[in-house]
């Protein structure tokens, strides 16, 4: 299990050999048909899997919340890693993995797809990072449609 600790501090730009970056993306994706299929057990397992994927791909998850029908992430990654590639990795790996770990999901998601093909991404600056983190952190308390 990968350990996840939510940080409330503002991050500093990251320095590499030939670059400095301060990129943060708010990424959201939903289950197919917004089906409320992710149980608490699945949500916790999925958090750990997402952290594992992030670690394997040099992505930092700064905030995360998963509810029964969608996932919110605040991530940071090197500029060479596109948002599209990050989302494909997160959704592709977890989709297959969820069906393997929780075969009962196949009854709710036919054709082998748990995630909707679309996603939302927003880039954020330092002035709004805390607002996004609080928003993600509050997802469990918010009624969803």
């Amino acid at each position: 299990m990968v350990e996840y600790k939510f940080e409330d501090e503002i991050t500093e730009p990251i320095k590499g050999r030939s670059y400095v970056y301060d990129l943060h993306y708010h990424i959201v994706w939903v289950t197919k048909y917004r089906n409320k299929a992710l149980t608490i057990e699945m949500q916790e397992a999925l958090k750990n899997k997402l952290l594992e994927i992030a670690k394997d791909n040099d992505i930092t998850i700064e905030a995360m919340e998963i509810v029964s029908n969608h996932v919110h992430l605040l991530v940071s990654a090197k500029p060479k890693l596109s948002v599209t590639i990050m989302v494909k990795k997160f959704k592709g790996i977890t989709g297959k993995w969820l069906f393997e770990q929780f075969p009962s999901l196949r009854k709710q998601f036919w054709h082998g797809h748990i995630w909707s093909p679309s996603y939302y991404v927003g880039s954020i600056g330092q002035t709004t990072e805390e607002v996004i983190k609080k928003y993600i952190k509050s997802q469990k308390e918010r009624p969803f449609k």
Side-chain angles (χ1 to χ4, degrees):
M1 181 168 106
V2 178
E3 194 63 35
Y4 173 72
K5 185 178 177 223
F6 178 77
E7 299 289 338
D8 278 331
E9 64 189 44
I10 294 176
T11 58
E12 293 294 319
I14 297 167
K15 297 175 180 152
R17 195 173 116 170
S18 60
Y19 54 83
V20 176
Y21 70 93
D22 192 12
L23 299 171
H24 306 274
Y25 304 104
H26 178 204
I27 302 171
V28 183
W29 68 89
V30 300
T31 57
K32 194 122 179 152
Y33 315 113
R34 285 198 176 254
N35 189 330
K36 298 175 183 174
L38 302 175
T39 65
I40 299 296
E41 177 189 5
M42 291 174 192
Q43 292 169 32
E44 290 304 312
L46 183 54
K47 283 180 183 180
N48 289 320
K49 187 63 177 177
L50 287 166
L51 288 167
E52 181 184 305
I53 294 165
K55 184 178 178 188
D56 291 345
N57 291 279
D58 205 18
I59 300 167
T60 301
I61 296 179
E62 298 172 336
M64 170 173 32
E65 193 58 79
I66 301 171
V67 294
S68 64
N69 68 349
H70 65 281
V71 175
H72 279 267
L73 297 178
L74 179 62
V75 301
S76 180
K78 292 179 180 177
K80 69 179 183 178
L81 187 58
S82 76
V83 174
T84 303
I85 297 297
M86 283 190 278
V87 172
K88 280 184 180 181
K89 286 181 182 292
F90 286 138
K91 289 173 66 177
I93 293 169
T94 59
K96 183 178 181 209
W97 178 84
L98 279 165
F99 283 132
E100 290 170 356
Q101 298 300 307
F102 304 96
S104 63
L105 282 172
R106 290 204 181 273
K107 294 174 190 166
Q108 295 171 289
F109 299 100
W110 50 96
H111 303 299
H113 299 286
I114 189 167
W115 304 122
S116 167
S118 61
Y119 64 92
Y120 163 83
V121 64
S123 61
I124 63 165
Q126 287 292 353
T127 57
T128 61
E129 184 174 350
E130 292 307 312
V131 172
I132 296 294
K133 283 182 178 180
K134 287 177 184 172
Y135 173 76
I136 289 173
K137 209 172 172 184
S138 72
Q139 285 300 296
K140 290 260 191 219
E141 302 157 5
R142 296 171 50 90
F144 48 89
K145 301 170 184 170

